Structure formats: structure tokens, C-alpha cells
Amino acid sequence: MPNSIVVGMLWGDEGKAKILDELVQEAKEDNNQKVWVVRFQGGPNAGHTMCVRKDDELVKFVTHAAPSGLTSNSEIAIGPHTAFDTEKFMKELNEARELFNYDAGIHISERVGILFDYHRIIDGLQEAKRKNKVGTTKSGIGPFYMDNANRATRITFADYVGDNFHDKLKEVLKQKNKDLEEAKSLIPEFEDYSLSNYIEKLIAVHNPIREELKEFVCRLEYRLREALENGENIIGEGAQGTMLHVNMGTIPDVSSSHLLAPEGLASLGLPRRAFKIYGIEKIYPTRVGNGFMPTLAEDEFGVETQKNSGEAGATTGRKRRVGYPDWVISKYAAMLNDLDGIYLTRADCVQDKDLKVCTAYEIDGQEIAEVPLKLEIAKPFYSDKTYRWHLWDGTKDLSDPLKADKELAEKRKSLVEAGRDGLPEGLREFVENHDEYVRVPTIGVSIGPARGETIKLYKKYRPLIQREEFV
Ligand code: IMP
């Protein structure tokens, strides 16, 4: 079983956690070694949703700060480029201890920066002052990465669990005082702010958490290398999606981290040659927050898909805007992430619908299959072919996954059992044409939210379509 990195190919919310959870199961079945799930960027702006069967009931579990390996009792690790929200991490860890008896190893890079409440406040302040809003998740991500780059205002995990934490926090907060004073008038829940009270409050919140987490501090890059050498399995968990990359996404409406798979490997000190990189692509793109999406579907398709598929942010609850498939973006993401394989997700959500596919943009009167810096100048060009498939008779209302599961679990199971040969014709054509265009093989098609509800298109980790054919 290869080690793998899992990344989103669009604007996030592609279903990464579900596929990652299945990769963990495959790794566990394959070799009896430990499996590690390592978060390598982003922070609590992510919302990784897993639907896990427990005593025959489907249970929904969402992680924001902790790696999704909590549901599978995997070793979990926090990489140095992550925005580490220790409060949320503790909460999720305790929930998983209660729900899934989580008791595996926890490894936190001594280098990772801590995301504090003041990052959230300053995020809110910056958004309030912006003329053109980014529509951030207000999790503090932008201000956190500013502190990282600024160096002096970065509080690492080593500082956090060390003896000088209080002094360090005071020193940093003095530098934030001007912003926090300003936030008083703009953010209602912050109107009582005073520097000394705020320091006391943060110390009171964090002291017990520091006590609980201090045993997990480590030189992560070395521990991961040892794990690799011991034949243990490592799975890197990306957050957000390629189009939200701070440099390669839709600037300025992007997140602030480096989220490409090769960057993940570099930040964890791991060798590319020991990994497979998998891109997760929801068949139709969605976007939450501001920013342009060339194939935005403002028609019945977009409205119905949003509603019937429960397309709302796991972190903020905001509605996600839905678009038609945009393979120009898929190919861009495949290139930037150096993908070995793709998982297409939510094929069930768009069954019985006519899907048109964007295969180029019209830019200044020319047809171009490249992603420009300013997507606003790109008018989608749709190929003549439309795709349509039918998976089951019965409910198409998938807005509540737990409710739909009762009726659909068996139908999904038989589709998975039928495998590649059981793919309906329209979906098969979609996959073949997609792979031809993107030049990376699809190795699985997800047709449901629960573990195992993915049709595998390959035998034993080898895609049926070999990558070499495309190079
Ligand atoms: P930030 O990461 O909170 O600063 O938000 C920047 C942009 O990225 C906003 O448009 C957010 O809605 C979007 N965003 C951030 N994280 C995620 C995610 O995990 N899924 C989808 N969109 C996200």
C-alpha cells in the first residue's frame, strides 16, 4: 500500500476526508502496521466531514483542527505549516475519545504556530474594513499566516508548551493591542476588551490545554521518517483546495496557506518517490465565500444541486455556490499537484441531470485551455457533449446524508460491488473523457458519503489506465 497525500482540486469541500478515511481502511487491511494521518496546512477554516457507521447507525463527525484519522484510531500528526488551533483540537480529540474510544499516538511538530482567539478577532476586523470582502471563514487564517511570515509574532508549539509561554504571549499581545482596541468598536462581542484582562483570559483558557498537549511535542520530520523506514503508512491530509492556494488560486479571494501536495511533502520532510498523490475532485465545483467561478450555475441545475446535496459549508454553514464541471481547472490542479490519480466524488448527487462540461475559456476572443490569474476574464466554453447517468430509483434528496442512508445504503453497496463494469454508460463516458482531458486516471468514483461507498476503478492500487500512457 503506497503512502499517499490527499488534496482538493477545486475550491475545497471536495470530499477529501471521506476518501482519506477509505485509504486508511485499505492501508489497515493491507498491512498490520500503524497508519498516520498528518495535517500539513490550513487550520480550523477546514471542515472535514466523515460519516462513520457505528452500531449500524451512520454517525456524522466533523474535524476542523484535528486530522480526520481520529475516527479510525490512526496515529495523528500536526505538521509545521498548519495553523494549529489547540482549543478546537482538544475539543475534537475529547469527542473522538468518547465516540470512538480514540487512543492512538499524537504527534505535534514543535515548529507549528498556534492560532489564538486574537487571530479570529483580527480576521473579523480586517474583513469588516475591506471594501472588497474575501468572505473568509473568520477562523483567523490570514492574520495567523501574517504572524508566521512576520516571525517575531509567531508563537510556536515549542513556545506554547514551554516555560516562557506567558511572557511570550504578553510580548506578542502588546504588539496586537492597537488592532484589538480598534476591534472593540467593530466586533460586538469584543467591546469589553482590555489588554490586561485579555491576557489573563487567554492564559486561563490555554494553561490546561498546554498541560494536556505538552507530551505530544516532537521533531515531526524525524518521527515521520522513522515511521516510513519502519514500513508504517503515512497519509497526508490536505485542506481547502487548489484554487484557494495563496499564490496559485483566484487571488485575492484565496486562503493563506501553501496547500499543494508537493509543498506538503516538503514541509513534512518526506520524499516524493515514496508517495502517491491523489486529487479529490467533486464532479461539480462549489465555492463558499467570495470570488469568481467561471461555470457558476445560476439555473435549475445549480439551485437543485445546492439544495438536494446539502451544499453548505461545514465550518460556517454558508450556502455553497454550485457550478458545472470545469475540466480546465481540474487539469491545472492535476499539473500543480503532480497527481498520480483522481477520485471523483458526489456522482450520486448529479444523477439524472444533464451535465455540460467546460473544456476551455474564451479570453479576449481566443479559446484558451489555461487558468489565468484573473478568472473574471474567462468565459466558459462548453463542449458539445453532455453527460447524464442514473444510479438508482428512489430518493434523490441527499441533503441529509443520515436520513438518505436508511433508504440508500443497500443500493449503494450493490453499485460498489458491481465495480467498474457496473458503471452506468453516461458516467463511464464522463470518466473516460475526463481522464483523457486531464491526463490523470480516475481511480475511484464516490457515490455516497459513508466509508466504502466508492466504486473502485482499479485493481489492487494499480489504476487500470496506466499513467505512462498519458505522459
Ligand atoms: P480563510 O481561509 O478563512 O481566510 O478564507 C478565505 C477563502 O477560502 C474564503 O472564500 C473561504 O470561504 C474559503 N475557504 C477557506 N477554507 C475553506 C474550506 O475548507 N473549504 C471551502 N472554502 C474554504
Side-chain angles (χ1 to χ4, degrees):
M1 177 75 192
N3 300 293
S4 49
I5 301 283
V6 174
V7 286
M9 293 170 64
L10 308 168
W11 282 276
D13 310 314
E14 297 93 349
K16 295 178 284 294
K18 181 217 141 154
I19 299 296
L20 192 141
D21 183 52
E22 289 177 351
L23 288 169
V24 170
Q25 300 311 315
E26 284 177 27
K28 287 195 167 168
E29 282 160 25
D30 198 55
N31 95 25
N32 242 344
Q33 297 278 17
K34 284 181 185 165
V35 179
W36 294 55
V37 180
V38 188
R39 261 301 284 274
F40 62 83
Q41 46 72 222
N45 48 347
H48 290 169
T49 306
M50 282 147 294
C51 292
V52 184
R53 223 167 276 290
K54 197 171 170 271
D55 309 325
D56 249 18
E57 280 287 310
L58 207 57
V59 180
K60 195 166 153 185
F61 189 73
V62 185
T63 60
H64 301 277
S68 60
L70 280 181
T71 56
S72 50
N73 210 32
S74 306
E75 301 286 300
I76 55 168
I78 301 290
H81 185 55
T82 311
F84 188 37
D85 182 333
T86 57
E87 281 177 76
K88 286 220 164 77
F89 179 88
M90 261 334 292
K91 187 169 164 283
E92 291 164 12
L93 178 62
N94 286 332
E95 278 166 12
R97 281 172 171 158
E98 199 161 297
L99 262 175
F100 309 109
N101 299 323
Y102 181 81
D103 65 355
I106 300 170
H107 313 262
I108 302 172
S109 169
E110 60 183 357
R111 294 171 179 274
V112 66
I114 308 299
L115 182 136
F116 287 97
D117 179 66
Y118 56 80
H119 290 118
R120 282 185 283 270
I121 299 294
I122 294 171
D123 196 354
L125 172 72
Q126 289 176 346
E127 268 291 84
K129 284 165 54 178
R130 262 182 208 124
K131 213 164 94 208
N132 297 319
K133 309 227 180 285
V134 175
T136 76
T137 59
K138 303 217 176 102
S139 318
I141 301 301
F144 168 87
Y145 282 106
M146 283 166 74
D147 276 350
N148 269 13
N150 186 31
R151 292 151 291 186
T153 44
R154 176 179 193 164
I155 299 184
T156 63
F157 189 60
D159 294 326
Y160 185 72
V161 294
D163 294 339
N164 295 329
F165 171 64
H166 295 177
D167 292 342
K168 178 85 192 178
L169 183 67
K170 281 177 198 159
E171 181 196 312
V172 170
L173 275 174
K174 274 190 206 142
Q175 299 180 58
K176 303 279 171 202
N177 191 37
K178 198 163 152 262
D179 284 340
L180 296 175
E181 280 289 348
E182 194 181 351
K184 267 165 85 163
S185 56
L186 285 167
I187 300 176
E189 64 270 32
F190 209 60
E191 62 190 8
D192 294 336
Y193 166 80
S194 84
L195 182 61
S196 55
N197 287 348
Y198 192 57
I199 291 173
E200 291 312 314
K201 189 180 134 197
L202 287 190
I203 288 177
V205 167
H206 286 280
N207 273 353
I209 303 178
R210 292 170 59 227
E211 210 39 54
E212 284 225 47
L213 293 185
K214 70 178 177 206
E215 63 175 302
F216 306 125
V217 62
C218 70
R219 281 182 213 110
L220 185 63
E221 47 286 1
Y222 289 99
R223 300 298 78 78
L224 288 172
R225 191 54 75 117
E226 281 164 9
L228 204 61
E229 284 167 6
N230 289 338
E232 294 171 17
N233 209 277
I234 299 175
I235 305 184
E237 178 181 43
Q240 291 81 53
T242 303
M243 297 310 288
L244 291 172
H245 187 281
V246 62
N247 298 320
M248 304 312 289
T250 43
I251 298 169
D253 301 307
V254 290
S255 195
S256 307
S257 68
H258 296 132
L259 48 79
L260 299 175
E263 295 168 325
L265 285 165
S267 75
L268 301 171
L270 289 167
R272 169 66 173 106
R273 64 186 174 281
F275 281 77
K276 290 278 183 218
I277 299 180
Y278 298 131
I280 313 301
E281 178 182 352
K282 186 154 58 181
I283 285 180
Y284 52 95
T286 55
R287 191 158 190 183
V288 62
N290 293 351
F292 190 75
M293 181 161 66
T295 59
L296 180 68
E298 286 173 301
D299 53 8
E300 205 183 310
F301 167 78
V303 174
E304 273 189 11
T305 307
Q306 192 284 321
K307 195 164 136 260
N308 293 339
S309 313
E311 286 293 357
T315 301
T316 58
R318 292 177 293 179
K319 273 188 189 172
R320 298 175 186 147
R321 291 171 285 149
V322 170
Y324 284 101
D326 185 339
W327 290 352
V328 181
I329 287 186
S330 311
K331 191 169 183 176
Y332 178 66
M335 172 176 83
L336 297 181
N337 286 291
D338 190 21
L339 294 186
D340 293 305
I342 291 175
Y343 285 87
L344 291 174
T345 60
R346 296 218 177 200
D348 53 332
C349 296
V350 282
Q351 60 179 307
D352 301 322
K353 296 211 158 87
D354 288 322
L355 275 186
K356 54 182 181 178
V357 171
C358 169
T359 51
Y361 298 136
E362 193 191 307
I363 299 175
D364 296 334
Q366 285 193 318
E367 199 181 306
I368 296 175
E370 293 183 0
V371 174
L373 165 61
K374 292 277 166 221
L375 263 186
E376 292 83 339
I377 62 170
K379 204 169 135 234
F381 171 88
Y382 293 100
S383 74
D384 293 338
K385 177 136 190 67
T386 55
Y387 301 84
R388 190 183 177 93
W389 56 84
H390 177 72
L391 292 173
W392 57 65
D393 298 333
T395 187
K396 306 285 156 34
D397 178 0
L398 307 175
S399 55
D400 179 346
L402 308 188
K403 202 166 129 209
D405 176 70
K406 300 224 180 333
E407 181 186 330
L408 300 174
E410 281 306 314
K411 294 183 202 276
R412 285 171 162 144
K413 192 165 165 229
S414 58
L415 280 162
V416 170
E417 280 164 5
R420 187 186 172 96
D421 294 340
L423 282 188
E425 188 51 29
L427 183 51
R428 169 190 291 273
E429 268 186 310
F430 182 91
V431 172
E432 281 172 3
N433 291 346
H434 167 275
D435 292 5
E436 193 65 42
Y437 184 96
V438 178
R439 305 189 86 73
V440 174
T442 294
I443 51 180
V445 180
S446 171
I447 50 151
R451 188 181 278 171
E453 292 179 340
T454 301
I455 302 173
K456 293 190 183 146
L457 307 186
Y458 59 97
K459 286 183 186 145
K460 201 72 183 167
Y461 323 125
R462 278 179 78 81
L464 291 182
I465 307 167
Q466 285 302 305
R467 189 170 191 239
E468 285 69 24
E469 289 176 32
F470 290 101
V471 174

Short mmCIF file of all heavy atoms in Angstrom, two decimals, residues 11-13 16 45-48 123 134-142 239-241 244 253-256 287-291 315-316 318 320, ligand 1:
data_model
loop_
_atom_site.label_atom_id
_atom_site.label_comp_id
_atom_site.label_asym_id
_atom_site.label_seq_id
_atom_site.Cartn_x
_atom_site.Cartn_y
_atom_site.Cartn_z
N TRP A 11 -12.25 24.33 -5.04
CA TRP A 11 -12.27 25.38 -4.01
C TRP A 11 -12.59 24.79 -2.64
O TRP A 11 -13.27 25.40 -1.83
CB TRP A 11 -13.31 26.44 -4.37
CG TRP A 11 -12.88 27.40 -5.43
CD1 TRP A 11 -12.13 28.53 -5.25
CD2 TRP A 11 -13.17 27.33 -6.83
NE1 TRP A 11 -11.94 29.16 -6.47
CE2 TRP A 11 -12.57 28.45 -7.44
CE3 TRP A 11 -13.89 26.44 -7.63
CZ2 TRP A 11 -12.66 28.71 -8.81
CZ3 TRP A 11 -13.98 26.69 -8.98
CH2 TRP A 11 -13.36 27.81 -9.56
N GLY A 12 -12.10 23.59 -2.37
CA GLY A 12 -12.40 22.94 -1.10
C GLY A 12 -13.73 22.20 -1.15
O GLY A 12 -14.44 22.24 -2.17
N ASP A 13 -14.02 21.47 -0.06
CA ASP A 13 -15.29 20.75 0.06
C ASP A 13 -15.48 19.70 -1.02
O ASP A 13 -16.60 19.47 -1.48
CB ASP A 13 -16.47 21.74 0.07
CG ASP A 13 -16.25 22.86 1.06
OD1 ASP A 13 -15.86 22.55 2.20
OD2 ASP A 13 -16.44 24.04 0.70
N LYS A 16 -12.61 15.25 0.63
CA LYS A 16 -11.28 14.69 0.91
C LYS A 16 -11.31 13.72 2.10
O LYS A 16 -10.71 12.65 2.04
CB LYS A 16 -10.29 15.82 1.25
CG LYS A 16 -10.01 16.75 0.10
CD LYS A 16 -9.07 17.87 0.50
CE LYS A 16 -9.72 18.96 1.33
NZ LYS A 16 -10.74 19.77 0.67
N ASN A 45 -10.28 26.64 9.45
CA ASN A 45 -11.14 27.03 8.32
C ASN A 45 -11.66 25.79 7.60
O ASN A 45 -12.66 25.84 6.92
CB ASN A 45 -10.40 27.95 7.34
CG ASN A 45 -9.01 27.45 6.95
OD1 ASN A 45 -8.46 26.55 7.56
ND2 ASN A 45 -8.44 28.06 5.93
N ALA A 46 -10.96 24.67 7.76
CA ALA A 46 -11.39 23.42 7.13
C ALA A 46 -12.51 22.79 7.93
O ALA A 46 -12.63 23.00 9.13
CB ALA A 46 -10.21 22.46 7.07
N GLY A 47 -13.32 22.01 7.26
CA GLY A 47 -14.34 21.23 7.95
C GLY A 47 -14.36 19.87 7.28
O GLY A 47 -14.89 19.72 6.20
N HIS A 48 -13.71 18.90 7.90
CA HIS A 48 -13.60 17.58 7.27
C HIS A 48 -14.68 16.66 7.82
O HIS A 48 -14.66 16.29 8.99
CB HIS A 48 -12.19 17.01 7.51
CG HIS A 48 -11.15 17.76 6.72
ND1 HIS A 48 -9.81 17.61 6.91
CD2 HIS A 48 -11.28 18.67 5.73
CE1 HIS A 48 -9.16 18.40 6.05
NE2 HIS A 48 -10.04 19.05 5.34
N ASP A 123 -9.03 38.81 12.07
CA ASP A 123 -9.62 38.37 10.79
C ASP A 123 -10.96 39.08 10.59
O ASP A 123 -11.24 39.65 9.52
CB ASP A 123 -9.84 36.83 10.86
CG ASP A 123 -10.08 36.19 9.50
OD1 ASP A 123 -10.20 36.93 8.50
OD2 ASP A 123 -10.14 34.95 9.42
N VAL A 134 -13.29 39.22 1.20
CA VAL A 134 -12.86 37.89 0.76
C VAL A 134 -13.93 36.86 1.12
O VAL A 134 -14.09 35.84 0.46
CB VAL A 134 -11.51 37.50 1.44
CG1 VAL A 134 -11.09 36.08 1.10
CG2 VAL A 134 -10.41 38.48 1.04
N GLY A 135 -14.70 37.18 2.17
CA GLY A 135 -15.66 36.19 2.67
C GLY A 135 -14.93 35.07 3.40
O GLY A 135 -15.22 33.89 3.21
N THR A 136 -13.97 35.44 4.25
CA THR A 136 -13.19 34.41 4.95
C THR A 136 -14.09 33.66 5.93
O THR A 136 -15.20 34.10 6.24
CB THR A 136 -12.02 35.02 5.77
OG1 THR A 136 -12.55 35.61 6.96
CG2 THR A 136 -11.24 36.04 4.98
N THR A 137 -13.56 32.56 6.43
CA THR A 137 -14.32 31.78 7.42
C THR A 137 -14.22 32.42 8.82
O THR A 137 -14.78 31.90 9.77
CB THR A 137 -13.77 30.34 7.51
OG1 THR A 137 -12.39 30.42 7.87
CG2 THR A 137 -13.91 29.61 6.18
N LYS A 138 -13.48 33.51 8.92
CA LYS A 138 -13.25 34.23 10.20
C LYS A 138 -12.62 33.30 11.25
O LYS A 138 -12.87 33.41 12.45
CB LYS A 138 -14.53 34.86 10.74
CG LYS A 138 -15.16 35.83 9.75
CD LYS A 138 -15.77 37.03 10.45
CE LYS A 138 -16.30 38.03 9.43
NZ LYS A 138 -17.73 38.01 9.24
N SER A 139 -11.81 32.37 10.76
CA SER A 139 -11.11 31.47 11.69
C SER A 139 -9.74 32.01 12.07
O SER A 139 -9.00 31.36 12.81
CB SER A 139 -10.89 30.09 11.06
OG SER A 139 -12.00 29.65 10.38
N GLY A 140 -9.37 33.15 11.51
CA GLY A 140 -8.07 33.75 11.88
C GLY A 140 -6.92 33.37 10.97
O GLY A 140 -5.75 33.63 11.29
N ILE A 141 -7.24 32.76 9.83
CA ILE A 141 -6.19 32.18 8.99
C ILE A 141 -5.23 33.23 8.41
O ILE A 141 -4.01 33.09 8.51
CB ILE A 141 -6.83 31.34 7.86
CG1 ILE A 141 -7.71 30.23 8.45
CG2 ILE A 141 -5.78 30.77 6.92
CD1 ILE A 141 -7.00 29.26 9.37
N GLY A 142 -5.79 34.29 7.83
CA GLY A 142 -4.93 35.32 7.24
C GLY A 142 -3.99 35.93 8.28
O GLY A 142 -2.76 35.94 8.12
N ALA A 239 -6.07 20.36 3.13
CA ALA A 239 -7.31 21.06 3.45
C ALA A 239 -7.55 22.11 2.36
O ALA A 239 -6.65 22.40 1.56
CB ALA A 239 -7.22 21.72 4.82
N GLN A 240 -8.75 22.66 2.33
CA GLN A 240 -9.17 23.59 1.27
C GLN A 240 -8.95 22.95 -0.11
O GLN A 240 -9.04 21.74 -0.22
CB GLN A 240 -8.42 24.94 1.36
CG GLN A 240 -8.80 25.78 2.57
CD GLN A 240 -8.10 25.36 3.84
OE1 GLN A 240 -6.89 25.26 3.89
NE2 GLN A 240 -8.85 25.13 4.89
N GLY A 241 -8.65 23.71 -1.12
CA GLY A 241 -8.48 23.15 -2.46
C GLY A 241 -7.56 24.03 -3.28
O GLY A 241 -7.32 25.20 -2.92
N LEU A 244 -7.80 27.71 -3.93
CA LEU A 244 -7.69 28.63 -2.78
C LEU A 244 -6.24 28.80 -2.35
O LEU A 244 -5.95 29.38 -1.30
CB LEU A 244 -8.54 28.12 -1.61
CG LEU A 244 -10.06 28.18 -1.81
CD1 LEU A 244 -10.78 27.48 -0.67
CD2 LEU A 244 -10.55 29.61 -1.92
N ASP A 253 -9.14 36.29 -3.72
CA ASP A 253 -10.13 35.51 -2.95
C ASP A 253 -9.61 34.10 -2.71
O ASP A 253 -10.11 33.12 -3.28
CB ASP A 253 -11.46 35.49 -3.71
CG ASP A 253 -11.99 36.89 -3.92
OD1 ASP A 253 -12.09 37.63 -2.92
OD2 ASP A 253 -12.27 37.27 -5.06
N VAL A 254 -8.60 34.02 -1.88
CA VAL A 254 -7.94 32.74 -1.61
C VAL A 254 -7.72 32.61 -0.11
O VAL A 254 -7.91 33.56 0.64
CB VAL A 254 -6.58 32.66 -2.33
CG1 VAL A 254 -6.75 32.54 -3.83
CG2 VAL A 254 -5.69 33.86 -1.99
N SER A 255 -7.28 31.43 0.31
CA SER A 255 -6.85 31.27 1.69
C SER A 255 -5.36 31.64 1.76
O SER A 255 -4.80 32.13 0.78
CB SER A 255 -7.15 29.85 2.18
OG SER A 255 -7.04 29.83 3.59
N SER A 256 -4.72 31.38 2.88
CA SER A 256 -3.37 31.93 3.04
C SER A 256 -2.27 30.89 3.11
O SER A 256 -1.13 31.23 3.38
CB SER A 256 -3.32 32.78 4.33
OG SER A 256 -4.35 33.73 4.30
N ARG A 287 -18.30 26.63 -4.41
CA ARG A 287 -17.48 27.67 -3.80
C ARG A 287 -18.26 28.33 -2.67
O ARG A 287 -19.44 28.69 -2.85
CB ARG A 287 -17.11 28.69 -4.89
CG ARG A 287 -16.07 29.64 -4.42
CD ARG A 287 -15.28 30.33 -5.48
NE ARG A 287 -14.21 30.97 -4.74
CZ ARG A 287 -13.29 31.75 -5.20
NH1 ARG A 287 -13.26 32.00 -6.50
NH2 ARG A 287 -12.38 32.28 -4.43
N VAL A 288 -17.61 28.47 -1.54
CA VAL A 288 -18.23 29.18 -0.41
C VAL A 288 -17.35 30.40 -0.15
O VAL A 288 -16.14 30.34 -0.32
CB VAL A 288 -18.38 28.24 0.81
CG1 VAL A 288 -17.06 27.75 1.33
CG2 VAL A 288 -19.15 28.88 1.93
N GLY A 289 -17.95 31.50 0.20
CA GLY A 289 -17.16 32.73 0.31
C GLY A 289 -17.16 33.45 -1.05
O GLY A 289 -17.77 32.98 -2.00
N ASN A 290 -16.44 34.56 -1.10
CA ASN A 290 -16.48 35.36 -2.32
C ASN A 290 -15.54 34.83 -3.38
O ASN A 290 -14.74 33.95 -3.14
CB ASN A 290 -16.14 36.82 -1.99
CG ASN A 290 -17.22 37.43 -1.13
OD1 ASN A 290 -18.27 36.83 -0.92
ND2 ASN A 290 -16.96 38.61 -0.61
N GLY A 291 -15.64 35.43 -4.54
CA GLY A 291 -14.73 35.05 -5.62
C GLY A 291 -15.48 34.41 -6.77
O GLY A 291 -16.53 33.81 -6.61
N THR A 315 -17.90 24.49 8.07
CA THR A 315 -17.33 25.36 9.10
C THR A 315 -18.25 26.54 9.39
O THR A 315 -18.44 26.92 10.54
CB THR A 315 -15.95 25.88 8.63
OG1 THR A 315 -15.12 24.74 8.41
CG2 THR A 315 -15.29 26.77 9.66
N THR A 316 -18.83 27.12 8.35
CA THR A 316 -19.60 28.35 8.56
C THR A 316 -21.10 28.17 8.31
O THR A 316 -21.88 29.07 8.63
CB THR A 316 -19.11 29.45 7.60
OG1 THR A 316 -19.25 28.94 6.25
CG2 THR A 316 -17.66 29.81 7.85
N ARG A 318 -22.50 28.44 5.60
CA ARG A 318 -22.93 29.25 4.44
C ARG A 318 -23.23 28.35 3.25
O ARG A 318 -22.60 27.32 3.07
CB ARG A 318 -21.81 30.22 4.04
CG ARG A 318 -21.55 31.31 5.04
CD ARG A 318 -20.39 32.19 4.61
NE ARG A 318 -19.13 31.47 4.62
CZ ARG A 318 -17.96 32.00 4.27
NH1 ARG A 318 -17.90 33.25 3.84
NH2 ARG A 318 -16.85 31.31 4.31
N ARG A 320 -23.09 26.86 -0.34
CA ARG A 320 -22.04 26.82 -1.36
C ARG A 320 -22.66 27.05 -2.73
O ARG A 320 -23.70 26.47 -3.04
CB ARG A 320 -21.35 25.45 -1.36
CG ARG A 320 -20.67 25.11 -0.06
CD ARG A 320 -20.14 23.68 -0.13
NE ARG A 320 -19.61 23.26 1.15
CZ ARG A 320 -19.66 22.01 1.61
NH1 ARG A 320 -20.23 21.06 0.90
NH2 ARG A 320 -19.15 21.70 2.78
P1 IMP B 1 -9.97 31.83 5.06
O1 IMP B 1 -9.21 30.57 4.74
O2 IMP B 1 -10.88 31.67 6.25
O3 IMP B 1 -9.08 33.02 5.17
O4 IMP B 1 -10.96 32.16 3.83
C1 IMP B 1 -10.50 32.50 2.53
C2 IMP B 1 -11.42 31.90 1.47
O5 IMP B 1 -11.25 30.48 1.46
C3 IMP B 1 -12.90 32.12 1.72
O6 IMP B 1 -13.55 32.26 0.48
C4 IMP B 1 -13.36 30.85 2.41
O7 IMP B 1 -14.74 30.61 2.26
C5 IMP B 1 -12.51 29.84 1.68
N1 IMP B 1 -12.22 28.63 2.46
C6 IMP B 1 -11.32 28.53 3.46
N2 IMP B 1 -11.29 27.27 3.91
C7 IMP B 1 -12.15 26.57 3.18
C8 IMP B 1 -12.53 25.19 3.16
O8 IMP B 1 -12.02 24.35 3.91
N3 IMP B 1 -13.47 24.84 2.24
C9 IMP B 1 -14.01 25.74 1.37
N4 IMP B 1 -13.67 27.02 1.35
C10 IMP B 1 -12.75 27.43 2.24
#
